[in-house]
Amino acid sequence: MAQKPMTKTQLIAAIAEKMDADKKTATAALDAITDVITEEVSNGGAVTLPNIGKIMCRERPERMVRNPATGEQLKKDADKVVKMTIAKALKESVNE
């Protein structure tokens, strides 16, 4: 059975413990990292998190899609999606 994902509160507590700091400092660090990643990716850039992966924005071209309920073909405009490529180190640590 799958575990529930770690909540933000649990993540902040874990970061504070690893940093030997208080939760306020850990919250500020997490918020700063989130802001930097969001800003960089929304501007079309990419961010590499060592031993975790790479977060990037990718453009998808205009394409034809099908409505599964009616079978009707629709044209979907070009858009952007956020992609994350997982680092080899993380993949290997999960499979140990």
Side-chain angles (χ1 to χ4, degrees):
M1 186 169 153
Q3 277 186 328
K4 289 185 178 181
M6 184 182 274
T7 64
K8 182 178 179 180
T9 305
Q10 293 169 331
L11 180 59
I12 289 169
I15 291 171
E17 186 178 316
K18 290 280 187 182
M19 291 175 50
D20 289 328
D22 60 356
K23 289 182 182 179
K24 186 175 181 181
T25 305
T27 302
L30 181 60
D31 289 343
I33 291 169
T34 304
D35 291 344
V36 169
I37 291 171
T38 303
E39 186 177 315
E40 184 64 27
V41 172
S42 63
N43 289 331
V47 176
T48 300
L49 301 171
N51 298 322
I52 296 174
K54 183 177 180 181
I55 303 171
M56 67 199 106
C57 182
R58 194 189 91 185
E59 292 187 26
R60 289 196 296 193
E62 183 178 278
R63 61 198 185 281
M64 296 300 290
V65 295
R66 186 178 70 83
N67 181 338
T70 64
E72 179 185 6
Q73 292 283 330
L74 303 169
K75 183 172 85 172
K76 184 162 180 168
D77 294 334
D79 61 352
K80 295 179 181 180
V81 291
V82 177
K83 301 288 282 181
M84 180 163 183
T85 305
I86 304 301
K88 183 178 178 184
L90 181 57
K91 286 181 190 176
E92 289 175 353
S93 71
V94 169
N95 289 319
E96 286 183 353

